[in-house]
């Protein structure tokens, strides 16, 4: 079982924690993590793009010139795709890009991402992430003390609005709870910071 040092918000060593092999010490599966990331990004797409086909562009009701005898190529409408202000061929229309991924695949991808962070040294466990007022400086000082990367994901034990809003103003810093963490956010972050209480919940939910 991997042992990880536990730090306080001042960056001091306050002990160790033994992580579950089933969650934090599996062989990372790159293919499954790729599937989870592609699925996440696809589900974020709004799919609201829309352009006009030749039947939707205004104008073009009259034939621009007679069929024969002008020396021009035959034309039936000034709103055909080759004309300025003409319609778009195979125009993109609103659609839903989201799709479901197998639950076992999602779970394996998440475990792989967590294990990858342990292997790469990008996981930091805090004794507690305690923010008692809306104070961004408190979080900034904490991240400096623990040497967190520019892109940091902080996993909270509970929905602490003070902590969430204090982190919101810091570029590259994102917060999540145990039930909202995902493979994409974990892999995107340089540093994964987890409150000690949240570690137990993760092991309980995903073991």
């Amino acid at each position: 079982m991997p042992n990880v040092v536990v730090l306080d918000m001042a960056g001091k060593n306050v002990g160790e924690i033994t992580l579950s092999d089933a969650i934090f010490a599996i062989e990372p599966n790159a293919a499954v993590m790729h599937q989870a990331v592609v699925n996440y990004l696809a589900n974020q797409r709004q799919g609201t793009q829309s352009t006009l086909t030749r039947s939707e562009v205004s104008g073009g009701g009259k034939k621009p010139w007679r069929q024969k005898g002008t020396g021009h190529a035959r034309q039936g409408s000034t709103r055909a795709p080759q004309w300025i202000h003409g319609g778009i061929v195979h125009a993109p229309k609103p659609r839903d890009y989201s799709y479901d991924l197998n639950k076992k695949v999602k779970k394996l991808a998440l475990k792989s991402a967590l294990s990858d962070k342990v292997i790469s040294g990008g996981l930091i466990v805090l004794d507690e992430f305690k923010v008692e007022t809306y104070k961004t400086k408190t979080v900034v000082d904490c991240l400096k003390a623990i040497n967190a990367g520019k892109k940091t994901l902080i996993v909270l034990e509970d929905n602490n609005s003070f902590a969430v809003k204090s982190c919101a103003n810091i570029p590259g810093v994102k917060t999540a709870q145990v039930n909202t963490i995902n493979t994409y956010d974990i892999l995107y972050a340089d540093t994964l910071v987890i409150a000690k209480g949240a570690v137990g919940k993760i092991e309980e939910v995903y073991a």
Side-chain angles (χ1 to χ4, degrees):
M1 291 186 177
N3 291 328
V4 176
V5 172
V6 178
L7 305 177
D8 61 13
M9 292 186 68
K12 295 179 181 178
N13 186 337
V14 293
E16 275 193 355
I17 185 172
T18 301
L19 303 176
S20 169
D21 283 346
I23 306 295
F24 295 95
I26 70 168
E27 180 69 29
N29 190 320
V32 169
M33 288 191 289
H34 177 264
Q35 288 182 45
V37 169
V38 171
N39 173 254
Y40 175 84
L41 294 175
N43 292 347
Q44 300 307 301
R45 296 185 68 174
Q46 291 183 325
T48 55
Q49 72 277 35
S50 182
T51 53
L52 303 180
T53 63
R54 62 182 294 171
S55 66
E56 296 169 319
V57 178
S58 62
K62 182 182 177 182
K63 189 174 174 67
W65 49 74
R66 67 179 189 268
Q67 182 81 345
K68 294 177 179 293
T70 63
H72 296 294
R74 54 194 175 188
Q75 300 291 331
S77 169
T78 56
R79 290 299 176 259
Q82 72 271 21
W83 286 76
I84 295 175
H85 304 304
I88 303 298
V89 181
H90 305 307
K93 292 295 181 182
R95 55 165 288 193
D96 181 12
Y97 287 93
S98 66
Y99 64 95
D100 292 328
L101 199 62
N102 187 292
K103 286 183 180 180
K104 289 184 179 179
V105 173
K106 279 186 177 181
K107 196 172 182 179
L108 177 58
L110 189 67
K111 291 179 180 180
S112 295
L114 291 170
S115 298
D116 181 69
K117 274 289 179 281
V118 174
I119 293 170
S120 64
L123 175 68
I124 296 175
V125 178
L126 286 183
D127 184 35
E128 61 176 348
F129 192 77
K130 193 174 183 180
V131 182
E132 297 179 336
T133 183
Y134 298 117
K135 196 74 174 177
T136 301
K137 188 176 186 300
T138 303
V139 180
V140 171
D141 291 343
C142 171
L143 296 178
K144 284 183 179 178
I146 63 176
N147 294 319
K150 289 184 178 180
K151 294 180 290 186
T152 301
L153 175 64
I154 302 172
V155 182
L156 304 173
E157 184 177 357
D158 51 27
N159 187 19
N160 184 338
S161 62
F162 292 125
V164 172
K165 292 187 177 180
S166 296
C167 295
N169 291 330
I170 309 172
V173 176
K174 187 174 182 178
T175 58
Q177 290 179 257
V178 174
N179 61 341
T180 62
I181 57 176
N182 61 77
T183 303
Y184 175 83
D185 285 339
I186 293 171
L187 293 176
Y188 181 76
D190 297 323
T191 307
L192 175 62
V193 179
I194 307 180
K196 187 177 179 180
V199 172
K201 289 185 177 181
I202 289 174
E203 292 179 344
E204 181 182 343
V205 172
Y206 297 103

